[in-house]
Amino acid sequence: MSDGTKLLDEMNDRSREVFRNVVEGYLSSGEPVGSRTLTRTLNEKVSAATIRNVMQDLEFLGLLDSPHISAGRIPTQLGLRMFVDGLLEVRDLDQDDRQKIDATMTSNSQDVATILDRVGSALSGVTQGASLVLTPKHEAAIKHIEFLPVGGDQALVVLVFADGHVENRLFKPPAGQTPSSMREAANFLNALVEGKTLSDLRRTIKDDIAHKRRELDSLAATLVEQGLAIWDDQADTSGRLIVRGRSNLLAEDTHAEELDRIRELFDDLERKRDIAEFLELTEQGDGVRIFIGSENKLFSLSGSSLVVSPYMNADRKIIGAVGVIGPTRLNYGRIVPIVDYTAQLVGKLLGDRNQG
């Protein structure tokens, strides 16, 4: 049981109702909620003075905060966490929202990146937040690999998959590489690739390099390791995050302090720091997860919330994620079913395409 859930269980009915109304009022308006406002919304008719006493108790527990002297209260991060875990009422998906998301999935495009880009745009439009889509890795069997020097200190690796998909990636090879050593490394890999995906190949190479290192000069062996590292989790993931709707978080009426936090958020995204952790967070459990402020390392500087859900392939393996980010006063009850529905739809769409 979390500390927040324990506090919630220990509250009496009046404290719980005051707390819920403060949070819901803040999520709706973005403004502190005062005792006089609560006298009009509580089911129980009590005086403003009584409500103020309850709010002071909740503030002492770390659930509410008063941003200004004599102002109303707003929920703290702990308070929002407790509300989301114990009091949030998730709505059914709105029919209009469902239709807008469904319309995105009718694209005739065969390109997964194009489809997921449309999904991101739709999520951003429906929620009026910024959307995140983590695209799946291409895991078809590989047909051919080639390393090409392109001048300076860069090289190009070309991957040809059995299904016709081709990927080109630039990377920085170890110092001292020659066209000859690159060909040798490519020949070594091509002797292993038949019927293997990149994940399979990485595992095979770790074993084979140990046994065949004598067949390769030290430079070529290093190139094998460095060349494949371009698709390892950290590097590969950095190019797989689609962000749409930044302008929704930079509206003219956004408070200056929020604006600064949001800019920091997108600076984080644009520098691609800790993106690899994004998918790892979603893999800790099925369904929608909510990260508030500093709970999520990726967005800890922003004071923003992330509502995210993984999507799965036909084998129930997590292959990507979709999510919405925005200020901590997101309309969680509406956003959660939108993200959940979108993730399920994306998983089904990609599963149907792979079977077609």
Side-chain angles (χ1 to χ4, degrees), residues 199-214:
S199 296
D200 296 334
L201 188 58
R202 274 197 295 272
R203 287 191 293 270
T204 300
I205 285 171
K206 286 180 180 178
D207 295 334
D208 277 34
I209 283 181
H211 294 103
K212 297 186 177 181
R213 191 173 289 274
R214 292 179 184 175

Side-chain angles (χ1 to χ4, degrees), residues 46-342:
V46 293
S47 68
T50 299
I51 293 174
R52 280 195 294 272
N53 289 334
V54 174
M55 293 168 78
Q56 286 174 356
D57 292 340
L58 294 171
E59 188 172 353
F60 177 77
L61 292 172
L63 303 178
L64 299 182
D65 190 20
S66 49
H68 306 290
I69 297 174
S70 75
R73 294 333 194 264
I74 62 173
T76 62
Q77 181 174 307
L78 174 63
L80 280 174
R81 178 80 267 164
M82 192 173 85
F83 174 82
V84 164
D85 290 345
L87 295 174
L88 177 65
E89 296 180 4
V90 177
R91 304 186 204 164
D92 291 333
L93 183 64
D94 182 84
Q95 191 62 32
D96 186 50
D97 291 338
R98 181 191 297 266
Q99 289 173 354
K100 289 176 181 175
I101 297 168
D102 286 345
T104 306
M105 305 296 177
T106 60
S107 168
N108 293 322
S109 173
Q110 294 300 304
D111 180 56
V112 172
T114 300
I115 294 171
L116 292 178
D117 186 70
R118 285 169 55 93
V119 168
S121 296
L123 255 184
S124 172
V126 168
T127 63
Q128 291 301 294
S131 66
L132 299 178
V133 179
L134 191 65
T135 66
K137 297 179 181 180
H138 197 80
E139 280 292 278
I142 305 163
K143 185 177 180 181
H144 184 75
I145 292 177
E146 192 169 353
F147 295 107
L148 301 170
V150 293
D153 60 353
Q154 287 193 314
L156 182 73
V157 60
V158 181
L159 274 179
V160 181
F161 292 86
D163 62 0
H165 179 79
V166 178
E167 286 189 16
N168 302 309
R169 298 285 180 89
L170 284 171
F171 72 104
K172 185 175 180 178
Q177 289 301 306
T178 65
S180 174
S181 66
M182 289 189 183
R183 282 194 301 273
E184 189 175 357
N187 290 339
F188 171 76
L189 291 174
N190 285 320
L192 302 175
V193 298
E194 185 175 0
K196 290 184 173 67
T197 66
L198 279 174
S199 296
D200 296 334
L201 188 58
R202 274 197 295 272
R203 287 191 293 270
T204 300
I205 285 171
K206 286 180 180 178
D207 295 334
D208 277 34
I209 283 181
H211 294 103
K212 297 186 177 181
R213 191 173 289 274
R214 292 179 184 175
E215 300 175 25
L216 293 166
D217 63 40
S218 60
L219 289 176
T222 307
L223 177 62
V224 169
E225 295 170 333
Q226 294 278 335
L228 276 207
I230 197 72
W231 296 291
D232 220 336
D233 286 343
Q234 187 171 358
D236 186 36
T237 311
S238 68
R240 296 167 50 225
L241 191 69
I242 301 172
V243 183
R244 290 290 176 268
R246 174 173 179 168
S247 60
N248 289 332
L249 296 186
L250 301 178
E252 291 180 6
D253 60 351
T254 305
H255 296 154
E257 188 177 338
E258 268 191 346
L259 198 62
D260 288 340
R261 288 201 302 268
I262 290 167
R263 285 187 178 126
E264 288 176 346
L265 162 65
F266 280 100
D267 285 344
D268 272 358
L269 288 176
E270 286 163 3
R271 287 192 296 268
K272 307 294 202 239
R273 294 188 308 191
D274 300 322
I275 298 298
E277 193 167 333
F278 181 77
L279 184 54
E280 291 172 14
L281 290 170
T282 71
E283 290 176 338
Q284 295 170 11
D286 293 351
V288 179
R289 302 192 70 203
I290 298 172
F291 299 93
I292 299 171
S294 59
E295 292 175 349
N296 183 358
K297 181 183 176 185
L298 179 59
F299 305 129
S300 61
L301 295 178
S302 68
S304 297
S305 286
L306 165 67
V307 180
V308 62
S309 177
Y311 57 87
M312 304 181 184
N313 60 15
D315 298 324
R316 301 295 295 167
K317 178 183 177 184
I318 293 173
I319 56 174
V322 297
V324 171
I325 53 175
T328 52
R329 63 177 188 86
L330 274 176
N331 185 341
Y332 298 98
R334 175 173 174 259
I335 300 297
V336 166
I338 290 174
V339 170
D340 185 40
Y341 181 71
T342 304

Side-chain angles (χ1 to χ4, degrees), residues 14-79:
R14 178 181 294 169
S15 296
R16 191 179 292 110
E17 189 179 6
V18 168
F19 173 70
R20 180 175 57 80
N21 276 268
V22 169
V23 177
E24 289 179 346
Y26 171 73
L27 294 180
S28 175
S29 69
E31 299 295 332
V33 178
S35 55
R36 291 191 181 278
T37 301
L38 293 179
T39 60
R40 298 191 294 270
T41 58
L42 293 181
N43 294 325
E44 181 187 9
K45 297 305 177 185
V46 293
S47 68
T50 299
I51 293 174
R52 280 195 294 272
N53 289 334
V54 174
M55 293 168 78
Q56 286 174 356
D57 292 340
L58 294 171
E59 188 172 353
F60 177 77
L61 292 172
L63 303 178
L64 299 182
D65 190 20
S66 49
H68 306 290
I69 297 174
S70 75
R73 294 333 194 264
I74 62 173
T76 62
Q77 181 174 307
L78 174 63

